[in-house]
Coordinates of all heavy atoms in Angstrom, one line a residue:
M413 N 98.8 126.8 138.2 CA 99.3 127.2 136.9 C 100.6 126.4 136.6 O 101.3 126.1 137.5 CB 99.6 128.7 137.1 CG 99.2 129.7 136.1 SD 97.8 129.5 135.1 CE 98.2 130.7 133.9
G414 N 100.8 126.2 135.4 CA 102.0 125.5 135.0 C 102.6 126.1 133.7 O 102.0 126.9 133.0
S415 N 103.8 125.7 133.5 CA 104.5 126.2 132.3 C 105.6 125.2 131.9 O 106.0 124.4 132.8 CB 105.1 127.6 132.5 OG 106.0 127.6 133.5
F416 N 106.1 125.3 130.7 CA 107.2 124.5 130.3 C 108.5 125.2 130.4 O 108.6 126.4 130.1 CB 107.0 124.0 128.9 CG 106.0 122.9 128.8 CD1 104.7 123.2 128.5 CD2 106.4 121.6 128.9 CE1 103.7 122.2 128.4 CE2 105.4 120.5 128.8 CZ 104.1 120.8 128.5
I417 N 109.6 124.5 130.8 CA 110.9 125.1 130.7 C 111.8 124.2 129.8 O 111.5 123.0 129.7 CB 111.6 125.3 132.0 CG1 111.9 124.1 132.7 CG2 110.9 126.3 132.9 CD1 112.9 124.2 133.8
T418 N 112.7 124.7 129.1 CA 113.6 123.9 128.2 C 115.0 124.1 128.7 O 115.4 125.2 128.9 CB 113.4 124.4 126.7 OG1 112.0 124.3 126.4 CG2 114.2 123.5 125.8
Y419 N 115.7 123.0 128.7 CA 117.2 123.1 129.1 C 117.9 122.1 128.3 O 117.3 121.2 127.7 CB 117.4 123.0 130.6 CG 117.0 121.6 131.2 CD1 117.9 120.7 131.4 CD2 115.7 121.4 131.6 CE1 117.6 119.5 132.0 CE2 115.3 120.2 132.1 CZ 116.2 119.2 132.3 OH 115.9 118.0 132.9
S420 N 119.2 122.1 128.3 CA 120.1 121.2 127.6 C 120.5 120.1 128.6 O 121.0 120.4 129.7 CB 121.3 121.9 127.0 OG 120.9 122.8 126.0
A421 N 120.4 118.8 128.1 CA 121.0 117.7 128.9 C 121.5 116.7 127.9 O 120.8 116.3 127.0 CB 119.9 117.1 129.8
D422 N 122.8 116.3 128.1 CA 123.4 115.4 127.2 C 123.3 115.8 125.8 O 123.0 115.0 124.9 CB 122.9 114.0 127.4 CG 123.1 113.4 128.8 OD1 124.1 113.8 129.4 OD2 122.2 112.7 129.3
N423 N 123.6 117.1 125.5 CA 123.5 117.7 124.2 C 122.1 117.5 123.5 O 122.0 117.5 122.3 CB 124.6 117.0 123.3 CG 126.0 117.4 123.7 OD1 126.2 118.5 124.2 ND2 126.9 116.4 123.6
K424 N 121.1 117.4 124.3 CA 119.7 117.4 123.8 C 118.9 118.5 124.5 O 119.2 118.8 125.6 CB 119.1 116.1 124.1 CG 119.7 114.9 123.4 CD 119.0 113.6 123.8 CE 119.7 112.4 123.3 NZ 119.1 111.2 123.7
E425 N 117.9 119.0 123.8 CA 117.0 120.0 124.4 C 115.9 119.2 125.1 O 115.3 118.3 124.5 CB 116.4 120.9 123.3 CG 117.4 121.9 122.7 CD 117.9 122.9 123.7 OE1 117.0 123.5 124.4 OE2 119.1 123.1 123.9
V426 N 115.7 119.5 126.3 CA 114.7 118.8 127.1 C 113.6 119.8 127.6 O 114.0 120.8 128.1 CB 115.3 118.1 128.3 CG1 114.3 117.4 129.2 CG2 116.4 117.1 127.9
S427 N 112.4 119.5 127.4 CA 111.3 120.4 127.9 C 110.6 119.6 129.0 O 110.2 118.5 128.8 CB 110.3 120.7 126.8 OG 110.9 121.6 125.9
I428 N 110.4 120.3 130.1 CA 109.6 119.7 131.2 C 108.5 120.6 131.7 O 108.6 121.9 131.6 CB 110.5 119.3 132.4 CG1 111.2 120.5 133.0 CG2 111.5 118.2 132.0 CD1 111.8 120.2 134.4
Y429 N 107.4 120.0 132.2 CA 106.3 120.8 132.6 C 106.6 121.2 134.1 O 106.9 120.3 134.9 CB 105.0 120.0 132.5 CG 103.8 120.7 133.0 CD1 103.2 121.7 132.3 CD2 103.3 120.4 134.2 CE1 102.1 122.4 132.7 CE2 102.2 121.1 134.7 CZ 101.6 122.0 133.9 OH 100.4 122.7 134.4
M430 N 106.4 122.4 134.4 CA 106.6 122.9 135.8 C 105.2 123.2 136.4 O 104.5 124.1 135.9 CB 107.4 124.2 135.8 CG 108.8 124.1 135.1 SD 110.0 123.3 136.1 CE 110.1 124.4 137.5
N431 N 104.8 122.4 137.4 CA 103.6 122.7 138.1 C 103.9 123.7 139.2 O 104.3 123.3 140.3 CB 103.0 121.4 138.6 CG 101.8 121.5 139.4 OD1 101.4 122.6 139.8 ND2 101.0 120.4 139.6
W432 N 103.7 124.9 138.9 CA 104.1 126.0 139.9 C 103.2 125.9 141.1 O 103.8 126.3 142.2 CB 104.0 127.4 139.2 CG 105.2 127.5 138.3 CD1 105.1 127.4 136.9 CD2 106.5 127.8 138.6 NE1 106.4 127.6 136.4 CE2 107.2 127.8 137.4 CE3 107.2 128.1 139.8 CZ2 108.6 128.1 137.3 CZ3 108.5 128.3 139.7 CH2 109.3 128.3 138.5
N433 N 102.0 125.5 141.1 CA 101.2 125.4 142.3 C 101.8 124.4 143.3 O 101.9 124.7 144.5 CB 99.8 125.0 142.0 CG 99.0 126.1 141.3 OD1 99.3 127.3 141.5 ND2 98.0 125.7 140.5
A434 N 102.2 123.3 142.8 CA 102.9 122.3 143.7 C 104.3 122.8 144.1 O 104.6 122.6 145.3 CB 103.1 121.0 142.9
I435 N 105.0 123.4 143.3 CA 106.3 123.9 143.7 C 106.2 125.0 144.8 O 106.9 125.0 145.8 CB 107.1 124.5 142.4 CG1 107.5 123.3 141.5 CG2 108.2 125.4 142.8 CD1 107.9 123.8 140.1
I436 N 105.2 125.8 144.7 CA 104.9 126.9 145.7 C 104.4 126.2 147.0 O 104.9 126.5 148.1 CB 103.9 127.9 145.1 CG1 104.6 128.7 144.0 CG2 103.5 128.8 146.3 CD1 103.6 129.5 143.2
S437 N 103.4 125.3 146.9 CA 102.9 124.8 148.1 C 103.9 123.9 148.9 O 103.8 123.8 150.1 CB 101.6 124.0 147.8 OG 101.8 122.9 147.0
N438 N 104.8 123.3 148.1 CA 105.8 122.5 148.8 C 107.0 123.3 149.3 O 108.0 122.7 149.8 CB 106.4 121.4 147.8 CG 105.3 120.4 147.5 OD1 104.4 120.1 148.3 ND2 105.4 119.8 146.3
R439 N 107.0 124.6 149.1 CA 108.1 125.5 149.4 C 109.4 124.9 148.9 O 110.4 124.8 149.7 CB 108.1 125.7 150.9 CG 106.8 126.4 151.4 CD 106.8 126.5 152.9 NE 107.5 127.8 153.2 CZ 107.6 128.3 154.5 NH1 107.2 127.6 155.5 NH2 108.2 129.4 154.7
T440 N 109.4 124.6 147.6 CA 110.5 124.0 147.0 C 111.8 124.8 147.2 O 111.9 126.0 146.9 CB 110.2 123.8 145.5 OG1 109.1 123.0 145.4 CG2 111.4 123.2 144.8
P441 N 112.9 124.1 147.7 CA 114.2 124.8 147.8 C 114.8 125.2 146.4 O 114.5 124.5 145.4 CB 115.1 123.7 148.4 CG 114.1 122.7 149.0 CD 112.9 122.8 148.2
V442 N 115.5 126.3 146.5 CA 116.1 126.9 145.2 C 117.7 126.8 145.4 O 118.2 127.2 146.5 CB 115.7 128.3 145.0 CG1 116.4 128.9 143.8 CG2 114.1 128.3 144.8
R443 N 118.3 126.4 144.4 CA 119.8 126.4 144.4 C 120.3 127.3 143.2 O 119.7 127.2 142.1 CB 120.4 125.0 144.3 CG 120.3 124.3 145.6 CD 121.2 123.1 145.5 NE 121.2 122.3 146.7 CZ 122.0 122.4 147.8 NH1 123.0 123.3 147.7 NH2 121.8 121.7 148.9
T444 N 121.4 127.9 143.3 CA 122.0 128.7 142.3 C 122.9 127.8 141.4 O 123.1 126.7 141.8 CB 122.8 129.9 142.8 OG1 123.8 129.4 143.7 CG2 121.9 130.8 143.6
K445 N 123.4 128.4 140.3 CA 124.3 127.6 139.4 C 125.5 127.1 140.1 O 126.0 126.1 139.8 CB 124.6 128.5 138.3 CG 125.4 127.9 137.2 CD 125.7 128.8 136.0 CE 126.4 128.2 134.9 NZ 126.6 129.1 133.8
D446 N 126.0 127.8 141.2 CA 127.2 127.4 141.9 C 126.8 126.6 143.1 O 127.6 126.5 144.1 CB 128.0 128.6 142.3 CG 127.2 129.7 143.0 OD1 126.0 129.6 143.1 OD2 127.8 130.7 143.4
S447 N 125.6 126.0 143.1 CA 125.1 125.0 144.1 C 124.8 125.6 145.5 O 124.7 124.9 146.5 CB 126.0 123.8 144.3 OG 126.0 123.1 143.1
T448 N 124.7 127.0 145.6 CA 124.4 127.6 146.8 C 122.9 127.5 147.1 O 122.1 127.8 146.2 CB 124.8 129.1 146.8 OG1 126.2 129.2 146.4 CG2 124.5 129.8 148.0
K449 N 122.6 127.2 148.4 CA 121.2 127.2 148.7 C 120.8 128.6 148.8 O 121.4 129.5 149.3 CB 121.0 126.6 150.1 CG 121.2 125.1 150.2 CD 121.0 124.5 151.5 CE 121.2 123.0 151.6 NZ 120.9 122.5 152.9
F450 N 119.6 128.9 148.1 CA 119.2 130.2 147.9 C 117.8 130.6 148.5 O 117.2 131.6 148.3 CB 119.2 130.6 146.4 CG 118.8 132.0 146.1 CD1 119.6 133.0 146.6 CD2 117.7 132.3 145.3 CE1 119.3 134.4 146.3 CE2 117.4 133.6 145.1 CZ 118.2 134.6 145.6
G451 N 117.2 129.7 149.2 CA 115.9 130.0 149.8 C 114.8 129.0 149.3 O 115.2 127.9 148.8
Y452 N 113.6 129.4 149.2 CA 112.5 128.6 148.7 C 111.5 129.4 147.9 O 111.4 130.6 148.0 CB 111.8 127.9 149.9 CG 111.0 128.8 150.8 CD1 109.7 129.1 150.6 CD2 111.7 129.4 151.9 CE1 109.0 130.0 151.4 CE2 111.0 130.2 152.7 CZ 109.7 130.6 152.5 OH 109.0 131.4 153.3
V453 N 110.8 128.7 147.0 CA 109.8 129.3 146.2 C 108.6 129.6 147.0 O 108.0 128.7 147.6 CB 109.4 128.4 145.0 CG1 108.4 129.1 144.1 CG2 110.6 128.1 144.1
A454 N 108.1 130.9 147.0 CA 107.0 131.3 147.9 C 105.8 131.8 147.1 O 104.7 131.9 147.7 CB 107.5 132.4 148.9
G455 N 106.0 132.0 145.8 CA 104.9 132.6 145.0 C 105.2 132.7 143.6 O 106.3 132.3 143.1
E456 N 104.2 133.1 142.8 CA 104.3 133.3 141.4 C 103.7 134.6 141.0 O 102.6 134.9 141.5 CB 103.6 132.0 140.7 CG 103.6 132.1 139.2 CD 102.9 130.9 138.6 OE1 102.0 130.3 139.3 OE2 103.1 130.6 137.5
Y457 N 104.3 135.3 140.0 CA 103.7 136.5 139.5 C 104.0 136.6 138.0 O 105.2 136.8 137.7 CB 104.2 137.7 140.3 CG 103.7 139.0 139.8 CD1 102.4 139.4 140.0 CD2 104.5 139.8 139.0 CE1 101.8 140.5 139.5 CE2 103.9 141.1 138.5 CZ 102.6 141.4 138.8 OH 102.1 142.6 138.3
K458 N 103.0 136.4 137.2 CA 103.1 136.5 135.8 C 104.2 135.5 135.3 O 104.1 134.3 135.6 CB 103.4 137.9 135.3 CG 102.2 138.8 135.5 CD 102.5 140.2 135.0 CE 101.3 141.1 135.3 NZ 101.5 142.4 134.7
D459 N 105.3 136.0 134.6 CA 106.4 135.1 134.2 C 107.5 135.1 135.1 O 108.7 134.8 134.7 CB 106.8 135.6 132.8 CG 105.8 135.3 131.7 OD1 105.0 134.4 131.9 OD2 105.9 136.1 130.7
N460 N 107.2 135.3 136.4 CA 108.3 135.3 137.4 C 107.8 134.4 138.6 O 106.7 134.0 138.7 CB 108.4 136.7 138.0 CG 108.7 137.7 136.9 OD1 109.8 137.7 136.3 ND2 107.8 138.6 136.6
F461 N 108.8 134.1 139.5 CA 108.4 133.4 140.7 C 109.1 134.1 141.8 O 110.1 134.8 141.7 CB 108.8 131.9 140.7 CG 110.2 131.6 140.4 CD1 111.1 131.3 141.5 CD2 110.8 131.6 139.2 CE1 112.4 131.0 141.3 CE2 112.1 131.3 139.0 CZ 112.9 131.0 140.0
V462 N 108.6 134.0 143.0 CA 109.1 134.7 144.2 C 109.9 133.7 145.1 O 109.5 132.6 145.4 CB 108.0 135.3 145.1 CG1 108.5 136.0 146.3 CG2 107.1 136.3 144.2
V463 N 111.1 134.2 145.4 CA 112.0 133.4 146.3 C 112.2 134.1 147.6 O 112.4 135.3 147.6 CB 113.3 133.1 145.7 CG1 114.3 132.4 146.6 CG2 113.2 132.3 144.4
I464 N 112.0 133.4 148.7 CA 112.3 134.0 150.0 C 113.6 133.4 150.5 O 113.7 132.1 150.6 CB 111.2 133.8 151.0 CG1 110.0 134.6 150.6 CG2 111.6 134.3 152.4 CD1 108.8 134.5 151.4
E465 N 114.6 134.2 150.9 CA 115.9 133.8 151.4 C 116.1 134.3 152.8 O 115.8 135.4 153.1 CB 117.0 134.3 150.5 CG 118.4 133.9 151.0 CD 119.5 134.7 150.2 OE1 119.3 135.8 149.9 OE2 120.5 134.0 150.0
G466 N 116.5 133.4 153.7 CA 116.8 133.7 155.1 C 115.6 133.5 156.0 O 114.5 133.4 155.6
R467 N 115.9 133.3 157.3 CA 114.8 133.0 158.3 C 114.6 134.2 159.2 O 113.5 134.7 159.4 CB 115.2 131.7 159.1 CG 115.2 130.5 158.2 CD 115.6 129.3 159.0 NE 115.8 128.1 158.2 CZ 114.9 127.3 157.8 NH1 113.7 127.4 158.3 NH2 115.3 126.2 157.1
V468 N 115.7 134.6 159.8 CA 115.6 135.7 160.8 C 115.4 137.0 160.0 O 114.4 137.8 160.2 CB 116.8 135.8 161.8 CG1 116.7 137.0 162.7 CG2 116.9 134.5 162.5
V469 N 116.3 137.3 159.2 CA 116.2 138.5 158.3 C 116.0 137.9 156.9 O 116.9 137.4 156.3 CB 117.5 139.4 158.4 CG1 117.4 140.5 157.4 CG2 117.7 139.8 159.8
S470 N 114.8 138.1 156.4 CA 114.5 137.5 155.1 C 114.6 138.6 154.0 O 114.4 139.7 154.2 CB 113.2 136.8 155.1 OG 112.2 137.7 155.2
H471 N 114.9 138.1 152.8 CA 115.0 138.9 151.6 C 114.0 138.2 150.6 O 114.0 137.0 150.5 CB 116.4 139.0 151.0 CG 117.3 139.6 151.9 ND1 117.5 141.0 152.0 CD2 118.2 139.1 152.9 CE1 118.4 141.2 152.9 NE2 118.8 140.1 153.5
E472 N 113.3 139.0 149.8 CA 112.4 138.5 148.8 C 112.9 138.9 147.4 O 113.4 140.0 147.2 CB 111.0 139.0 149.0 CG 110.3 138.5 150.2 CD 108.9 139.0 150.4 OE1 108.2 139.2 149.4 OE2 108.4 139.1 151.5
Y473 N 112.9 137.9 146.5 CA 113.4 138.2 145.1 C 112.3 137.8 144.2 O 111.6 136.8 144.4 CB 114.6 137.3 144.9 CG 115.8 137.6 145.8 CD1 115.9 137.0 147.0 CD2 116.7 138.6 145.5 CE1 116.9 137.3 147.9 CE2 117.8 138.8 146.3 CZ 117.9 138.2 147.5 OH 118.9 138.5 148.4
V474 N 112.2 138.5 143.1 CA 111.3 138.1 142.0 C 112.2 137.7 140.8 O 113.0 138.6 140.3 CB 110.4 139.3 141.6 CG1 109.5 138.9 140.4 CG2 109.5 139.7 142.7
I475 N 112.2 136.4 140.5 CA 113.1 135.9 139.5 C 112.3 135.5 138.2 O 111.3 134.8 138.4 CB 113.8 134.6 140.0 CG1 114.4 134.9 141.4 CG2 114.8 134.1 139.0 CD1 115.7 135.5 141.5
P476 N 112.7 135.9 137.0 CA 112.1 135.5 135.8 C 112.1 133.9 135.7 O 113.2 133.3 136.0 CB 112.8 136.1 134.7 CG 113.5 137.3 135.4 CD 113.8 136.8 136.7
K477 N 111.0 133.3 135.2 CA 111.0 131.9 135.0 C 112.1 131.4 134.0 O 112.5 130.3 134.1 CB 109.6 131.4 134.6 CG 108.6 131.6 135.7 CD 107.2 131.1 135.3 CE 106.2 131.3 136.4 NZ 104.8 131.0 135.9
D478 N 112.5 132.2 133.1 CA 113.4 131.8 132.1 C 114.8 131.7 132.7 O 115.8 131.3 132.1 CB 113.4 132.7 130.8 CG 113.9 134.1 131.1 OD1 114.2 134.5 132.2 OD2 113.8 134.9 130.1
K479 N 115.0 132.0 134.0 CA 116.3 131.9 134.7 C 116.4 130.5 135.4 O 117.4 130.2 136.0 CB 116.5 133.0 135.8 CG 116.5 134.4 135.2 CD 117.6 134.6 134.2 CE 117.7 136.0 133.7 NZ 118.7 136.2 132.7
V480 N 115.3 129.7 135.2 CA 115.3 128.3 135.8 C 116.2 127.5 134.8 O 115.9 127.4 133.6 CB 113.9 127.7 135.9 CG1 114.0 126.3 136.3 CG2 113.1 128.5 137.0
D481 N 117.2 126.8 135.4 CA 118.0 125.8 134.6 C 117.2 124.5 134.5 O 117.0 124.0 133.5 CB 119.3 125.6 135.3 CG 120.2 124.7 134.4 OD1 120.4 125.0 133.3 OD2 120.6 123.6 135.0
H482 N 116.8 123.9 135.7 CA 116.1 122.7 135.7 C 115.5 122.5 137.1 O 115.8 123.2 138.1 CB 116.9 121.5 135.3 CG 118.1 121.1 136.3 ND1 119.2 121.8 136.3 CD2 118.1 120.2 137.2 CE1 120.0 121.3 137.3 NE2 119.3 120.3 137.8
Y483 N 114.6 121.5 137.2 CA 113.9 121.1 138.4 C 114.0 119.6 138.5 O 113.6 118.9 137.5 CB 112.4 121.5 138.3 CG 111.6 121.0 139.5 CD1 111.9 121.4 140.8 CD2 110.5 120.3 139.2 CE1 111.1 120.9 141.8 CE2 109.6 119.8 140.2 CZ 110.0 120.2 141.5 OH 109.2 119.7 142.6
D484 N 114.6 119.1 139.6 CA 114.8 117.7 139.7 C 113.7 116.9 140.5 O 113.9 115.7 140.8 CB 116.2 117.4 140.3 CG 116.3 117.8 141.8 OD1 115.3 118.2 142.3 OD2 117.4 117.6 142.3
G485 N 112.6 117.6 140.7 CA 111.5 117.0 141.5 C 111.7 117.3 143.0 O 110.7 117.1 143.7
R486 N 112.8 117.8 143.4 CA 113.0 118.2 144.8 C 113.5 119.6 145.0 O 113.1 120.3 145.9 CB 114.0 117.3 145.5 CG 113.6 115.8 145.7 CD 114.8 115.0 146.2 NE 115.9 115.4 145.4 CZ 116.9 114.6 145.1 NH1 116.9 113.4 145.6 NH2 117.9 114.9 144.3
E487 N 114.4 120.0 144.1 CA 114.9 121.4 144.1 C 114.8 122.0 142.7 O 114.9 121.4 141.7 CB 116.4 121.3 144.6 CG 116.6 120.9 146.0 CD 118.1 120.9 146.4 OE1 118.9 120.2 145.6 OE2 118.4 121.5 147.4
L488 N 114.8 123.4 142.8 CA 114.7 124.2 141.6 C 116.1 124.8 141.4 O 116.6 125.4 142.3 CB 113.7 125.3 141.7 CG 113.3 126.1 140.5 CD1 112.5 125.2 139.5 CD2 112.5 127.3 140.9
F489 N 116.7 124.6 140.2 CA 118.1 125.1 140.0 C 118.1 126.3 139.1 O 117.4 126.2 138.0 CB 119.0 124.0 139.5 CG 119.2 122.9 140.4 CD1 118.3 121.9 140.6 CD2 120.4 122.8 141.2 CE1 118.5 120.8 141.5 CE2 120.6 121.8 142.1 CZ 119.7 120.8 142.3
L490 N 118.8 127.3 139.4 CA 118.8 128.5 138.6 C 120.0 128.5 137.6 O 121.0 127.8 137.8 CB 119.0 129.8 139.4 CG 117.8 130.0 140.5 CD1 118.1 131.2 141.3 CD2 116.5 130.1 139.7
K491 N 119.9 129.3 136.5 CA 121.0 129.5 135.6 C 122.0 130.5 136.1 O 123.1 130.6 135.4 CB 120.4 130.0 134.2 CG 119.5 129.0 133.6 CD 119.0 129.6 132.3 CE 118.0 128.7 131.6 NZ 117.4 129.3 130.4
M492 N 121.8 131.1 137.2 CA 122.6 132.2 137.7 C 123.4 131.8 138.9 O 122.9 131.0 139.7 CB 121.7 133.4 138.1 CG 120.9 134.0 136.9 SD 119.9 135.4 137.5 CE 118.8 134.6 138.6
R493 N 124.6 132.3 139.1 CA 125.3 132.1 140.3 C 124.7 133.1 141.4 O 124.1 134.1 141.1 CB 126.8 132.4 140.1 CG 127.5 131.5 139.2 CD 129.0 131.6 139.1 NE 129.4 133.0 139.4 CZ 129.9 133.9 138.5 NH1 129.8 133.6 137.2 NH2 130.3 135.0 138.9
H494 N 125.0 132.8 142.6 CA 124.4 133.6 143.7 C 124.8 135.1 143.6 O 124.0 136.0 143.8 CB 124.9 133.0 145.1 CG 124.2 133.6 146.2 ND1 124.6 134.7 146.9 CD2 123.0 133.3 146.8 CE1 123.8 135.0 147.9 NE2 122.8 134.2 147.9
V495 N 126.1 135.4 143.3 CA 126.5 136.7 143.1 C 125.9 137.5 142.0 O 125.8 138.7 142.0 CB 128.1 136.9 143.0 CG1 128.7 136.3 144.3 CG2 128.6 136.1 141.8
E496 N 125.4 136.8 141.0 CA 124.7 137.4 139.8 C 123.3 137.9 140.2 O 122.8 138.8 139.5 CB 124.6 136.4 138.7 CG 126.0 136.0 138.1 CD 125.8 134.9 137.0 OE1 125.4 133.8 137.4 OE2 126.2 135.2 135.9
I497 N 122.7 137.4 141.2 CA 121.4 137.8 141.6 C 121.3 139.1 142.2 O 120.6 140.0 141.8 CB 120.7 136.7 142.5 CG1 120.6 135.4 141.7 CG2 119.3 137.2 143.0 CD1 120.3 134.2 142.5
G498 N 122.2 139.4 143.2 CA 122.4 140.7 143.8 C 121.1 141.4 144.1 O 120.1 140.7 144.5
T499 N 121.1 142.7 143.9 CA 119.9 143.5 144.2 C 119.0 143.6 143.0 O 117.9 144.2 143.1 CB 120.3 144.9 144.7 OG1 121.1 145.5 143.8 CG2 121.0 144.8 146.1
D500 N 119.4 143.1 141.8 CA 118.6 143.3 140.6 C 117.3 142.7 140.7 O 116.3 143.2 140.1 CB 119.4 142.7 139.4 CG 120.6 143.4 139.0 OD1 120.8 144.6 139.4 OD2 121.5 142.8 138.3
Y501 N 117.1 141.6 141.4 CA 115.9 140.9 141.6 C 115.2 141.1 142.9 O 114.2 140.5 143.1 CB 116.1 139.4 141.2 CG 116.7 139.2 139.9 CD1 118.0 139.0 139.6 CD2 115.8 139.3 138.7 CE1 118.5 138.8 138.3 CE2 116.3 139.1 137.4 CZ 117.7 138.9 137.3 OH 118.1 138.7 136.0
E502 N 115.8 141.7 143.8 CA 115.3 141.9 145.2 C 114.2 142.9 145.2 O 114.2 143.9 144.6 CB 116.4 142.3 146.1 CG 116.0 142.2 147.6 CD 117.2 142.3 148.5 OE1 118.3 142.7 148.1 OE2 116.9 142.1 149.8
L503 N 113.2 142.6 146.0 CA 112.0 143.5 146.2 C 112.4 144.5 147.2 O 113.1 144.3 148.1 CB 110.8 142.7 146.7 CG 110.1 141.8 145.8 CD1 109.0 141.0 146.4 CD2 109.6 142.5 144.6

C-alpha cells in the first residue's frame, strides 16, 4: 500500500509517494523533529503506522501518517518532538 505525503522544502510544497510495504519490510528507522531516534516502522493500520521503540522493554505506538514530516529514503522523520508523543499514541 502506498500514499502521498506533502511537506515544505525551500518554500515549496513537495509531495512524495510513500511505499509503506517497503518501509515496513525494511524496518525503517524513525526520528522525531528533535532528531531523537524513536524506533522503527513495524506495521500499518488505516491512516496510521505502527512504531516499535526499544529492544528489551519495547513500546508500541500508532502514529497518524499526517504526522510524517518527510522520508529521506533511509529514515522517516516526524513533525513531532519526542516529548510530544508521550502516551497519546502508545498502545
Side-chain angles (χ1 to χ4, degrees):
M413 223 31 194
S415 61
F416 284 91
I417 64 162
T418 303
Y419 65 96
S420 295
D422 299 326
N423 295 322
K424 297 178 186 175
E425 290 292 310
V426 178
S427 290
I428 61 169
Y429 179 76
M430 302 285 294
N431 181 342
W432 287 99
N433 289 333
I435 290 169
I436 294 163
S437 65
N438 292 332
R439 300 176 88 178
T440 299
V442 178
R443 285 195 181 265
T444 59
K445 185 177 182 177
D446 52 357
S447 296
T448 302
K449 289 183 181 180
F450 183 61
Y452 65 91
V453 180
E456 178 183 24
Y457 179 72
K458 297 183 181 181
D459 290 334
N460 305 291
F461 61 99
V462 178
V463 174
I464 295 180
E465 177 188 39
R467 295 180 191 266
V468 177
V469 177
S470 64
H471 300 273
E472 294 183 26
Y473 300 87
V474 177
I475 311 276
K477 290 179 182 175
D478 66 2
K479 299 298 183 186
V480 172
D481 182 60
H482 67 281
Y483 173 60
D484 68 1
R486 293 175 312 212
E487 294 181 304
L488 191 70
F489 293 82
L490 300 179
K491 295 177 182 176
M492 303 179 292
R493 295 186 337 254
H494 191 267
V495 296
E496 294 175 297
I497 296 168
T499 57
D500 292 342
Y501 300 100
E502 191 168 9
L503 290 177

